[in-house]
Structures are given as structure tokens and as C-alpha cells.
Amino acid sequence: MKSVRKGMKLAMLFWALLLGICVQVRAEEPASGGSSSEESALPVCSVRFSGQGLYVYADPSLSGAPTAVLPDTARVQVVLGPMDSIAGIRVCDTGLEGYVDIRYLKRSDAIVEDYDIYTYEEMEEDIRQLQARYPELLRADTAGTSVDGRNLYVLTMGGKNASQHILVHAGIHAREYMNPLLVMEQLEQCLEYYESGSFHGTNYRNLFSDTAVHIIPMVNPDGIALSQFGESALRSPELVEMVRICYVYDTLAGRTDRPYDSYLAHWKANARGVDLNKNFPFGFGIGTSAVQPSYAGYGGLMPFSEPEAASLGAVTLQYRPTIVISYHSMGEVAYWDTSESPYTEINRGFSSYMLSLVPYKRMGSGGASGSYLDWLYSGETPVRSITFETGNTACPLPAGQYPRIWLHHESVLQAAAWYACAGL
């Protein structure tokens, strides 16, 4: 019997080594005492987004015939990993063990939840709770306030003395408010598996020890509130009046024929009618579609006139990231270069790697027009960057788009950190 157990241990260790990790192989029968308490300490996850069901495999390569199919809402515990997107699990109440795709699991007591309309207030509360749950792993700072008085948050995960920095930002355009939810959930998953997860054979703790990730989850909180809830979401009467003036201008100029409520739902700018992604210095004023404040396309009176754009610029200059990931919507395409960029060659490899994980269409280079990407590539720090345009329907994206977006982008932070660590 001992020789049989020894053979099983060796087989399990073999599979763990193939995945590039070291695991402690458990005996066929648990030792008496302590195991039940260890099992109960493991967080419970629920299956979601699986459609026809989540397959459970005996093989960690997820090959062969599945041993079970778990419906959405089924409850499991992660007992190993995740290793890239693969996790060893135990099905609650049955004891069945196997391997599944981690993308379909979400911790039952997860903090970041709402994938319909994710609000500034929900984000603030999520930041507070994430800090309370992971006080040693997450730092939250503010880099200024918006024109309507909302905090502009910068969240940092990783080594305090990291030599490399990754910057991720979302929500620079108001109606693209599904992306702040995405980056917040990406962050929570990395924090949740900080001690047990690995990517390409490197555990998360080592992955992020020399590479800090800085996330600006909601660059444009005022515009997002306006797009989600209309003018009543704005605190300043002067800004409400500005929005109404924008509507009159855009209607008379033939830039919109929408009713007022629909016009606001499709808002892209900040609360002063400035398109933040046209408020940066390099190429400022080129190709703007509006000559005064508008729901979209107006670059402002001068570069960095808006506190939200200035805040993003200041964080970029503070950390001088070598990798930047920008989230926009829509079209399931990716931008990775500009015609003026001096960093085309180093970015070609990075963008190719990221697009091997996220199956989006690569777009060509465009000319400068005052965007963040234009300004980023005009700097002296060599930078690898990619802009993901999530969703395959018009913004604001309906809630039904989120499962597909999550499945595509679940490992983006880990992948970027691994690329930075690998020195590619």
C-alpha cells in the first residue's frame, strides 16, 4: 500500500513540475487532525459565466474527458494555484477534486461585484474594503480631484522599492464605464491569489516584488456619473449649466439629434465638456471635431487644462512606467503605436505578446491628435504600451458584454508583470 501511495505522490509531483511550480503533494488519505480546519479556511468560490457548465478535469492540462460539469452558482474551493488560468479545486459538499479554468470562478465574498453600472461610489467603497482585506498588499492614494470634486484614485500593488512600474488606466471616456469595473476586478483577483498564484512559472509575490502596478481605475469620474445618471449626478450647478449649453451647441451644430437623456448617456467628455483624451500636449488641437465644449471631441483651451488629464500625466511622470495599458471601448481592437513614436520596435514585441493572450485585432498607426498615447510616446522613457478597446457593440456597453470582456482580460496584469520581469 505504501508503494502505491508513493507512486501517486510522484505522479502528482511530476504534473506540478510540468507547470513550473513546487507544490506539497498530499497523501491519498488525509492525516488525522487539522485537515478539516485547513479546508474550512479556504475561501469559497462560485462558478459563473460558464454557459453550458464548467468542465472539471483530472489532468491539470485540462485535457481528456471531463470528470464532471459544474453549473453556474456551483460552489468550489481553490486548493492549488491558479497556475496561469488553471486551478486545482475541490467541489464543496462532494469532495470531488480536479482542475478547472480559473476565469469562471469568483470568490463568493468578493468585494468587486457589480458588472451592470459600476459607479464612483461603489468604486470608493470597494477601495476601502480592499485596503482593509489586503492592508500589506494595496496602497490607495489620490492624485487630485475632478472638476466636480471627486477624488482621482491611484491604486498601487507591488514592491515599494520596485525598479519597474506598470501603469493601467480606465474610464477616461465617460460612457466607457465598464472598464473601471474590469480593472478593479483584475486587481482583486491578483490580491486574492498573491500568495498561491503563479504565471508562466513565477509566483505572484515574486512577480510583483520588483514590478509595481499602478491603477487609475476611473480617470473621469464626473463624466461617468453624468453618463450613468444624467445631470442630477453633478454636484455643481455651474457644471449642470455647462452641460446644458453643450447640448444646445451640439444640437445646433448638427453634432447630435438625440433627446437630452440619450445625449447624456452617450457623453464622453468630463463635466466641463472637454474630451480628456484630447487634452494632452503632443499634437494638441489637431483633428478635434468640436471648437467649444461638447459631449465629445473638444480638446480644451490648452493642454492639461483639465485636472483629470493633468492627474494622469502627473502619475505617469512620477513613476515613468515602462509598460502602460489603457482601457477604452469599443470594437475589440488594439492600438499599439503612433506614426511619430520612436518606440515602435520595442513595442512590437510587447503588443504581439499581449495580443497572443487577448484575441483583439491589431490596428495601424495614426497621427498625433493630443491623446494620452501621443504624449506618452513623445517622452524620453522608452515605453511599451497597448490600448484595448473592449466590447463589440456601441457604448455604453450593456451588462451582457462583461462576461466576454472578463474572459479575454482576466490575466492581463499578470502577463504585463511577467513581461516586465522577463526583461523582453
Side-chain angles (χ1 to χ4, degrees):
M1 184 66 178
K2 289 182 179 179
S3 62
V4 172
R5 290 180 182 172
K6 184 177 180 181
M8 293 180 66
K9 290 181 180 180
L10 290 173
M12 293 175 70
L13 181 58
F14 171 75
W15 282 113
L17 290 173
L18 282 180
L19 290 165
I21 62 170
C22 294
V23 298
Q24 180 181 357
V25 182
R26 295 174 296 152
E28 181 186 18
E29 297 177 2
S32 60
S35 62
S36 59
S37 61
E38 291 173 2
E39 291 174 9
S40 62
L42 294 171
V44 174
C45 298
S46 297
V47 178
R48 62 170 183 167
F49 303 158
S50 65
Q52 297 299 315
L54 178 61
Y55 290 164
V56 181
Y57 295 88
D59 192 310
S61 66
L62 305 189
S63 61
T67 58
V69 181
L70 304 178
D72 278 359
T73 72
R75 298 164 67 250
V76 306
Q77 292 174 302
V78 175
V79 298
L80 180 63
M83 305 151 288
D84 293 359
S85 291
I86 300 170
I89 58 100
R90 179 186 300 116
V91 181
C92 296
D93 303 323
T94 70
L96 173 69
E97 295 192 358
Y99 298 89
V100 300
D101 187 332
I102 190 71
R103 297 177 302 164
Y104 295 94
L105 299 183
K106 186 173 180 68
R107 185 164 160 167
S108 297
D109 63 345
I111 292 168
V112 182
E113 290 187 351
D114 189 351
Y115 65 92
D116 184 4
I117 296 179
Y118 190 64
T119 68
Y120 170 80
E121 290 75 19
E122 287 175 314
M123 182 193 71
E124 270 201 320
E125 178 61 18
D126 288 350
I127 291 171
R128 187 190 66 78
Q129 291 191 39
L130 286 172
Q131 281 191 291
R133 182 176 286 181
Y134 306 103
E136 302 301 319
L137 302 179
L138 178 65
R139 187 177 83 242
D141 300 304
T142 57
T145 56
S146 68
V147 295
D148 201 32
R150 292 174 174 85
N151 288 329
L152 302 173
Y153 288 99
V154 184
L155 311 179
T156 299
M157 172 184 65
K160 294 181 180 179
N161 299 312
S163 63
Q164 296 198 70
H165 299 268
I166 296 170
L167 178 61
V168 181
H169 73 87
I172 196 169
H173 283 149
R175 65 191 185 189
E176 300 170 12
Y177 52 76
M178 190 168 282
N179 293 325
L181 167 65
L182 171 65
V183 298
M184 288 293 291
E185 186 167 2
Q186 288 172 330
L187 172 64
E188 182 174 20
Q189 176 148 300
C190 288
L191 293 170
E192 179 181 340
Y193 296 113
Y194 204 89
E195 300 297 341
S196 63
S198 65
F199 191 83
H200 290 3
T202 303
N203 65 61
Y204 285 7
R205 178 168 284 281
N206 288 342
L207 202 63
F208 297 115
S209 64
D210 197 42
T211 303
V213 178
H214 310 278
I215 300 174
I216 304 178
M218 196 175 286
V219 177
N220 183 10
D222 302 343
I224 285 175
L226 184 62
S227 177
Q228 291 173 335
F229 301 112
E231 66 174 37
S232 64
L234 297 182
R235 304 165 178 177
S236 165
E238 291 79 9
L239 291 175
V240 171
E241 185 63 26
M242 172 65 76
V243 168
R244 292 174 179 172
I245 292 171
C246 288
Y247 181 60
V248 172
Y249 160 69
D250 284 334
T251 300
L252 293 176
R255 305 192 75 243
T256 186
D257 59 1
R258 298 179 184 275
Y260 186 53
D261 288 347
S262 178
Y263 169 80
L264 296 182
H266 290 82
W267 190 271
K268 291 181 68 176
N270 74 347
R272 278 205 291 238
V274 176
D275 188 327
L276 298 176
N277 205 36
K278 294 185 178 296
N279 193 230
F280 291 84
F282 195 80
F284 178 78
I286 299 174
T288 55
S289 59
V291 296
Q292 66 183 62
S294 169
Y295 82 103
Y298 175 61
L301 292 175
M302 65 183 68
F304 290 135
S305 63
E306 305 310 296
E308 301 92 344
S311 171
L312 176 56
V315 173
T316 304
L317 292 175
Q318 177 183 357
Y319 294 111
R320 299 195 178 277
T322 56
I323 290 179
V324 173
I325 297 170
S326 304
Y327 274 108
H328 285 256
S329 296
M330 60 185 177
E332 294 191 348
V333 298
Y335 296 93
W336 65 282
D337 194 25
T338 66
S339 56
E340 297 90 356
S341 173
Y343 308 122
T344 297
E345 289 310 312
I346 63 169
N347 207 14
R348 192 185 307 278
F350 172 69
S351 61
S352 295
Y353 169 68
M354 297 303 292
L355 290 173
S356 72
L357 303 174
V358 180
Y360 282 11
K361 178 182 177 181
R362 178 192 292 271
M363 301 301 287
S365 304
S369 59
S371 75
Y372 173 73
L373 193 64
D374 298 326
W375 175 72
L376 184 70
Y377 285 146
S378 70
E380 296 180 357
T381 301
V383 62
R384 297 158 176 83
S385 177
I386 193 163
T387 300
F388 290 117
E389 298 271 356
T390 63
N392 57 15
T393 188
C395 291
L397 299 176
Q401 289 278 300
Y402 189 71
R404 178 180 175 90
I405 293 171
W406 172 252
L407 294 176
H408 283 160
H409 293 270
E410 175 265 344
S411 294
V412 162
L413 298 189
Q414 300 94 312
W418 177 85
Y419 197 94
C421 289
L424 300 174

